[in-house]
Every structure is written in structure tokens, then in C-alpha cells.
Amino acid sequence: MRWCCGGSYSENGSGGSRNTQQQPTPLLTTAGTAAQVSTTHDTFGPMQVKMHKTAVIVTGGTGESVLLDSLRSSGWNCTVSFPTQATSDIESICPLAVFIDLRVPHPSQVAKDVSSVSTEEVLIASIAEKHISEKRRRALAQSNIIHHVTWNTRDVSLFDYVGRLANRIRALPALFTVLDETDQAVEVCDEHRVVQYVNRAYENVTGCIRSEVIGQPESEMRRKSLPRARGEEERRRSSDWKFIRVPFANNSQFVYMKRSNTTGEAAIFRDVSLKSLKSQTGGIEAPISEVLTMLRDVSCRVDGEPAQTIKDAMKVLSSHELYAPSINRFRDADRIATQYYDGLIRLHHPARQRKRSVVDAHREKRGSHGERRRVSADVKNALENDNCWKFDILHLEKVSDHHALSQVGMKVFERWKVCEVLGCSDDLLNRWILSIEAHYHAGNTYHNATHAADVLQATSFFLDSPSVAIHVNESHAVAALLAAAVHDLDHPGRGNAYLINTRQSLAILYNDNSILENHHIALAFQLTLQHNANVNIFSNLSREEFIQMRHAMVEMVLATDISRHFEYLAKFNKMHVTDVAEEQRDTNSLTICDMLVKCADISNPAREWGLCQRWAHRIVEEYFEQTREEKEKGLPVTMEVFDRNTCNVPITQCGFIDMFAREAFATFTEFAKLGELSEQLESNYEKWKLMTSQWTPTHNTNLVL
């Protein structure tokens, strides 16, 4: 007999003593012929679905029977399981059908347990020696047992049909996932034009929530331009929406799909808002960003030619040089006009040769490192992890006797093979960085050579990110490293507002516009190019190469002007990096480096807490001195909050993160795939926030620098 209570079973059905100390295991796993299992497929519309026909038979015996043989012959993979093991077997196997022997104890409870761990498409059937009464069938139906068979049945056609349907159902989640991820809006209606399904893009286009739309009649208000389906009409190209016939449902379903945007509306810019959920200053947004957002919203509500005009306007407004003329009509036809344009307007006209990315360049170069410079053991140890975000530049400052810039500079320049790009010797580059370092003010607590070294190290770290490097060309990478080294050259320890209010010569020279930033980069080139200094690292560059290098360095240093912070952030947000022309790739490379150096310049709040705190104390100390001097001289006080007698330092740091750092790092680290930096910034923010209530002005006299 098939029923052998308490026995244990091997695959050949032989009995033996049962070991009650061991967890029961599936009794038997059998399959149909290899040809049936591996090659049987079902065509589901345009999709090919492999027929995985699996079943679990819950019984106390071996399950050997005419039914089991018939299932095997039809290609079913059957597993025989004890009642105590059934749920775990079903969870691991995910069968299409479960057969429960009515002779097991409490079959209804077994069925309920099976239902709790199985998916909706699983058929649960009972098995008995003979047919059961209608009354018992109804009772079993309460436990989701919806079909009944006998052990000696040979007809398994119903199970084959259910298996076919179940395999199709299991293919649907992938299709729904794709529909929800696509940028095109999709609406599916039944034969009565009642909405059955809409995807996420539909919600974005119409502004309607899915749960409010499904089950409702189709609406022209939701899709004004949607063409009605008529007769044999398959597709309508005169509208932003198209009707698609569903040939697999006897035309009883109607699909409406928002046409793909061939003009690249979705690709005009990276839609990264300047408004952070955590930011207390989310209202700060560049006007051009607000304009683009409004235009984008309007473009979704109009059709035809007006919509296209709006999209074209958005492209123009997304330009990096919004007010620069775009003159094309006479460049080739009018020689005089072309020369006027090139000589007086264009100024910079770089050659159009293909430029190597950082990835391409340093894949070739990083294998060899040449001869190492001689440094002390302490300095060498301090430089050991200069390519890590945890790098302690303040420790290097101490062990190198305040020569952190020249030490980390040469290490970074060597790793990035800057000499090879510039065509200069290591000795010349070393003399140059020493000259630059000497023109920083050692008396400044913050804006000194160590800060420049810190920014240089952060710049190198950012360039090391594969997500960044693939978009940055080699010359821009080198320009970013050099710009980082000189970005605060000869900083007087006072801000631009102070220079304007005291009518300093630099403010007069640069007409109150980015005064210090213009001075830093101008002095850097003056020092580099003077004949008697013998530090011209650009001497072997061609004229074209020098112009491009200088233009990039100037642009990157000017990007560090905090008064233009949101302008550069908006430019970066609007950048599009996929499927772009070569000229746009070059523009993107520079935009990325602008943002990269800018983030490096304000990276202290994202450093490890110990470094973050000490850098904060250094900048605050510098601001304290400026505020004191402004009050003593009767000048307008630039930032009243930095009065040593009243300042709450933790509040000022929270304010800086809210105002500037959080948005910049959230945007850039998402692009660079360096999310851990933003996490560190938020961790530091919380630490500052906890300190605000305990901070008193007495702390301001003993800051740890």
C-alpha cells in the first residue's frame, strides 16, 4: 500500500526505521523526460515562456501512484513531501500545483499553511482513493482546496492547462516592471473603456494618481490630445499620444501611449533640484532653474507646435553661455565677418581633435612611477594614504613643518603624471610648487598653504572616481589639480567684501568682481611665466595647449567664488552627459571640473569629525579677526555672527552646511557615486547640532586649531 504511517522513504520507495531526531526532508523528487523539461516552451504573445511545471505532493508515504506517473509523463517535476516539511519545500520550490493527501492529519490546516506561503497562481488540489462527497468538497474549498483527484487518475490535462497559465502569469511582473520604469506614459483600458492600468510616467504627465484613475472611465481631460481608436486604425502620428491595438485580446483592450520625446526634453538637463528635504534654505534657487522648471511644466500641458517651441526654448536656456551670441550664418560665407567674430567675440577657438579622458590617459600611465623623491620617514608615513578621503592633511602639516602643499602636491602630481602632460621635468614642477607654496600667507589660520594642499588632495580623490573620470579629459584633470594648488594664492585672510569696503587696490583693479579669485589665478600665472624665476611649467606646451590650459584653470579658480556658488551649481545640474557630441563632451568636462574644485574647496564639513572640527575652528578664527578689525575701523561688518564675544560656532557650521555644503555635496556625490561623503557630512551636521545648546562665548577663546 502507498500509505505507510511513520515510515521513512528513499527514492526507490524502500522503507526503513524513521530517525525522529532529524528534520524531515523531501521524500522524492522526480521529473519527466529531459526532452520534455528542457525544450517545452509556450508562446505568450511575442514572448517565449519556458514551461517550468513543478508540483509538490504532500503525503505520509512515497506518493507512488498512477497520478504521479501521469504527471511525470507529462513533463512535471514532482517532489513528495511530509506534511511537517511541506511549507518549507513549497517556499523553496515555488510549485505551480500542490496535491494534499486527504489521509494526512488535518488536511485543511495543511492547505491553509500551504496558502500562506504560496503565490496566488498555485493550484491546491486534494487526493483520495476514491471520489469524495459534494459536502466535503465544499468544506475543503474553505481551505483553498479547489480541485479533487484520485490516486489512480491518468487525466492530467487540467493541470497542464493550469501550468501553462501560471507560467504566463509569472512572466507578467517583469513586463509591469518595465512599464513602470519607462519614460513613456501608458494607459490600458478594457472593452468598456474603463482604465485597467497606468504606469508611473502617466502619473507624471497627467498629474493624476494611479489609484484614482484605475477603475474609472477613460478621460479626455487627462489626455486632451489622445486620438480615438477607429476601425482598423493602428497608430496615429499626428498627436503626442498614440493608440495601439492589442491583437492578443480580440481587440477588447485599448492601449494609449505617450510618444517618446524625440527632441530630448527629458535629457535637456539632469533634474536635480537645489531644494533638499533637509535644507533649511531650500528656497534658494537660481532664477534660470525656476524658469526651466516652469517651462517644463507648461510643455506637459500643451500640444503640437507650441510644445515643440517651448522645448526648443528650454534647450537654448540650458546653454552654459546664456548671453553669448550664437552666430552661424556667416562663418563660412563672409570672411570679414568671420574674422571679426573670431577676433573680437569668440577669442578662444580650440582645435577639434579628440581628447583623451582621464580613464584613457591613466590606464596607460599608472603602471610606472619613475624615481621617488626623497622625503623623511615621518612625511612618507603621513603621505601613505593620500588617495583616501580619511587622509589627515593637518598631521602632514605638522610633520612637514608647514610644507604640506609641496609634499602632497608632488605626490599627487607624480601619481597623475602631470609632468608628462605638461612636458616638463620633475625638478621644474617641484620648483614651481615650492614657489606657489611660498606665496601663501603662513599667518592665516585658514587660507594658507595647508588649505590649498587639502583642496588639492580632495580634487585628486574626486578625479579618482570612475564615474567622474570617464567624463573628464586629461588636460582638464591636470588643470583641476593645478587650479586647486593655486586657488587661494596670496589670500590676505580677509574676504572680498572687506577689500571692497576698505577700497583696496585689488578691488579697484578687478572692479569689485570676484576680486580674490581673479587675483589668485592672475598671480599664479605671473609667477609661473616670469622669465627670471625659472618655474614655467607651461614652456613646452604649444600655443593652443597653453590657451586651453590657462582658460580651464582660470575658469576653475573663478568657480570657487562663493558668491557665484548657486550659478555653478545650477550649471552642473543642467548638464546632460549621455549621447552628446564631442564639443559638448569638452564643455561637460570643464563643468564637472568646476564643480569638482568647488566641492573640494568647501569639503571640510564632509571630512571625518576630527578634521571637520579643526578646520571649522580655523575658518572661524579668521572670521573673528576680520570682524574685530571691521569694528575697530568703523567699517560695515560683513558677518555680524562672527563676533568672538557672542558667536555660537556650532550654529555657524550648521548654517554653512544648510546654505552651501549640503546641496553641493548631495548633487556632486550622486553624480560621482560617493554617497559616503554626504553621509559623513550629515553625521557631522548632527554633531554640530547637538553642541549648539552647550556652546558659550568662552569656548571661542580656546579653539583647537
Side-chain angles (χ1 to χ4, degrees):
M1 292 180 63
R2 288 184 297 273
W3 183 262
C4 301
C5 293
S8 64
Y9 304 90
S10 62
E11 289 190 0
N12 60 11
S14 62
S17 62
R18 184 173 184 177
N19 186 348
T20 58
Q21 301 301 316
Q22 295 181 350
Q23 181 71 16
T25 57
L27 300 175
L28 180 66
T29 299
T30 60
T33 64
Q36 286 174 307
V37 175
S38 60
T39 62
T40 303
H41 293 83
D42 178 34
T43 300
F44 182 30
M47 178 183 286
Q48 187 181 71
V49 179
K50 188 173 182 179
M51 295 295 289
H52 294 284
K53 297 195 290 187
T54 54
V56 170
I57 299 177
V58 182
T59 181
T62 64
E64 290 295 337
S65 63
V66 174
L67 171 64
L68 183 58
D69 291 339
S70 299
L71 289 171
R72 291 175 191 159
S73 299
S74 189
W76 284 80
N77 191 321
C78 300
T79 297
V80 181
S81 179
F82 284 120
T84 54
Q85 188 71 8
T87 54
S88 61
D89 288 343
I90 289 167
E91 281 185 296
S92 62
I93 297 171
C94 299
L96 301 182
V98 176
F99 299 90
I100 300 175
D101 189 340
L102 290 182
R103 293 170 299 181
V104 300
H106 312 295
S108 294
Q109 184 59 48
V110 173
K112 291 178 181 178
D113 294 341
V114 167
S115 298
S116 67
V117 298
S118 60
T119 52
E120 293 179 359
E121 69 272 12
V122 174
L123 170 68
I124 303 177
S126 64
I127 319 176
E129 292 286 354
K130 59 182 180 179
H131 293 290
I132 61 175
S133 67
E134 186 65 29
K135 180 178 180 181
R136 191 170 188 197
R137 284 176 182 268
R138 289 196 296 269
L140 291 173
Q142 301 298 316
S143 306
N144 296 322
I145 299 178
I146 60 175
H147 190 62
H148 173 75
V149 293
T150 60
W151 284 103
N152 60 359
T153 186
R154 296 181 183 276
D155 183 8
V156 294
S157 57
L158 174 64
F159 303 118
D160 287 339
Y161 180 72
V162 170
R164 181 184 178 196
L165 294 180
N167 275 290
R168 291 183 175 189
I169 291 172
R170 290 186 175 184
L172 291 178
L175 301 180
F176 284 127
T177 299
V178 171
L179 286 172
D180 256 357
E181 291 299 321
T182 184
D183 291 332
Q184 293 177 268
V186 176
E187 178 185 273
V188 179
C189 300
D190 64 15
E191 67 273 17
H192 301 296
R193 301 298 175 90
V194 174
V195 179
Q196 294 177 303
Y197 170 84
V198 296
N199 65 349
R200 282 202 293 257
Y202 182 96
E203 293 180 306
N204 296 333
V205 169
T206 64
C208 299
I209 300 173
R210 179 184 294 175
S211 59
E212 297 175 350
V213 176
I214 292 177
Q216 299 298 317
E218 65 168 337
S219 170
E220 288 294 326
M221 292 297 293
R222 291 195 296 268
R223 37 180 177 76
K224 299 190 293 191
S225 62
L226 188 62
R228 310 293 293 183
R230 300 191 187 98
E232 297 300 317
E233 188 176 16
E234 292 187 12
R235 296 174 187 261
R236 291 283 298 273
R237 289 186 167 82
S238 61
S239 168
D240 280 347
W241 289 81
K242 60 185 175 184
F243 160 71
I244 302 175
R245 183 184 304 281
V246 183
F248 315 115
N250 295 320
N251 293 326
S252 62
Q253 284 183 304
F254 303 97
V255 175
Y256 301 97
M257 194 168 189
K258 184 74 173 174
R259 292 190 185 280
S260 60
N261 196 331
T262 57
T263 61
E265 171 193 356
I268 288 177
F269 53 80
R270 296 168 59 247
D271 186 16
V272 183
S273 174
L274 295 180
K275 299 175 182 178
S276 168
L277 292 175
K278 293 188 176 180
S279 176
Q280 298 174 12
T281 56
I284 297 176
E285 186 161 12
I288 190 64
S289 300
E290 296 180 3
V291 170
L292 286 168
T293 300
M294 288 187 287
L295 287 175
R296 185 182 54 184
D297 292 341
V298 171
S299 70
C300 295
R301 299 189 179 97
V302 298
D303 311 308
E305 187 175 344
Q308 184 60 50
T309 302
I310 292 174
K311 294 166 188 175
D312 292 340
M314 290 172 67
K315 277 189 175 181
V316 174
L317 292 175
S318 297
S319 167
H320 292 283
E321 299 297 335
L322 192 58
Y323 296 102
S326 178
I327 305 173
N328 300 295
R329 58 186 173 84
F330 57 71
R331 283 186 186 167
D332 297 323
D334 190 329
R335 182 172 60 88
I336 301 300
T338 299
Q339 291 187 15
Y340 270 133
Y341 176 79
D342 285 343
L344 300 180
I345 297 177
R346 192 177 176 201
L347 296 182
H348 303 292
H349 25 87
R352 292 294 174 224
Q353 71 271 21
R354 167 73 178 173
K355 297 181 179 179
R356 291 190 300 177
S357 70
V358 174
V359 173
D360 296 332
H362 295 283
R363 184 182 291 119
E364 304 167 11
K365 294 180 179 180
R366 288 192 174 186
S368 59
H369 286 285
E371 185 178 350
R372 297 277 183 182
R373 295 173 299 111
R374 292 185 178 181
V375 295
S376 70
D378 288 341
V379 170
K380 184 177 181 180
N381 291 335
L383 287 168
E384 191 66 31
N385 63 339
D386 71 292
N387 59 343
C388 298
W389 189 246
K390 297 179 180 181
F391 179 66
D392 189 346
I393 196 72
L394 298 183
H395 175 63
L396 178 62
E397 175 193 63
K398 179 180 178 181
V399 299
S400 66
D401 193 23
H402 294 269
H403 288 289
L405 178 57
S406 57
Q407 292 294 344
V408 79
M410 287 307 294
K411 178 81 179 294
V412 167
F413 294 158
E414 181 182 272
R415 186 168 70 252
W416 288 96
K417 299 296 180 182
V418 172
C419 288
E420 292 186 18
V421 177
L422 299 178
C424 68
S425 65
D426 288 344
D427 181 62
L428 178 58
L429 187 58
N430 189 46
R431 290 200 304 273
W432 179 82
I433 193 65
L434 287 171
S435 175
I436 294 299
E437 185 176 56
H439 283 80
Y440 275 93
H441 295 198
N444 294 344
T445 56
Y446 184 85
H447 289 101
N448 50 39
T450 303
H451 168 62
D454 185 54
V455 175
L456 174 57
Q457 188 272 336
T459 298
S460 175
F461 177 83
F462 291 150
L463 286 171
D464 251 336
S465 167
S467 299
V468 173
I470 196 171
H471 298 294
V472 175
N473 68 49
E474 184 182 23
S475 63
H476 285 162
V478 170
L481 297 172
L482 299 177
V486 306
H487 84 282
D488 271 336
L489 189 64
D490 194 40
H491 197 295
R494 300 292 182 266
N496 282 331
Y498 178 90
L499 300 184
I500 293 171
N501 291 332
T502 55
R503 302 176 185 177
Q504 294 288 318
S505 59
L506 287 177
I508 304 301
L509 177 63
Y510 294 112
N511 298 312
D512 298 344
N513 290 316
S514 299
I515 302 163
L516 286 171
E517 292 72 28
N518 274 300
H519 174 60
H520 301 323
I521 191 62
L523 180 60
F525 277 97
Q526 289 171 2
L527 293 173
T528 303
L529 301 179
Q530 59 185 349
H531 294 294
N532 59 350
N534 194 25
V535 293
N536 187 1
I537 58 176
F538 306 121
S539 59
N540 290 327
L541 296 181
S542 68
R543 183 183 301 277
E544 180 65 31
E545 290 170 337
F546 173 75
I547 289 174
Q548 292 181 19
M549 182 66 68
R550 172 171 160 76
H551 171 69
M553 289 179 63
V554 169
E555 175 72 17
M556 293 174 203
V557 173
L558 293 182
T560 64
D561 183 355
I562 200 68
S563 70
R564 300 179 66 188
H565 176 84
F566 298 104
E567 172 189 342
Y568 280 95
L569 187 53
K571 284 184 178 181
F572 184 78
N573 284 334
K574 303 303 178 267
M575 179 182 64
H576 175 52
V577 295
T578 58
D579 299 326
V580 295
E582 184 62 29
E583 184 175 356
Q584 187 60 43
R585 285 177 59 87
D586 198 54
T587 301
N588 286 347
S589 174
L590 185 57
T591 300
I592 292 167
C593 287
D594 288 343
M595 188 66 177
L596 184 148
V597 174
K598 168 174 282 297
C599 285
D601 188 32
I602 61 170
S603 64
N604 302 148
R607 295 284 190 177
E608 286 201 314
W609 173 244
L611 291 171
C612 167
Q613 192 174 31
R614 290 183 64 188
W615 278 119
H617 290 175
R618 289 188 174 203
I619 187 65
V620 164
E621 182 64 31
E622 204 167 277
Y623 286 157
F624 282 165
E625 287 302 302
Q626 176 174 313
T627 302
R628 177 191 58 77
E629 192 171 334
E630 287 171 334
K631 289 188 174 183
E632 288 178 354
K633 294 182 176 181
L635 299 170
V637 177
T638 305
M639 291 180 286
E640 184 70 43
V641 69
F642 289 104
D643 185 328
R644 193 188 299 271
N645 298 318
T646 58
C647 182
N648 186 309
V649 171
I651 288 180
T652 67
Q653 298 310 296
C654 289
F656 183 81
I657 292 174
D658 283 332
M659 186 82 171
F660 300 107
R662 175 178 288 119
E663 303 304 336
F665 269 82
T667 302
F668 181 73
T669 58
E670 178 187 10
F671 172 79
K673 293 182 172 54
L674 295 170
E676 65 274 13
L677 273 60
S678 285
E679 292 174 6
Q680 181 65 55
L681 182 141
E682 294 300 334
S683 173
N684 293 341
Y685 181 86
E686 294 302 322
K687 288 184 172 68
W688 285 121
K689 199 171 181 180
L690 290 173
M691 294 172 63
T692 56
S693 59
Q694 287 86 31
W695 194 272
T696 63
T698 56
H699 291 95
N700 298 334
T701 58
N702 298 299
L703 298 177
V704 178
L705 306 178

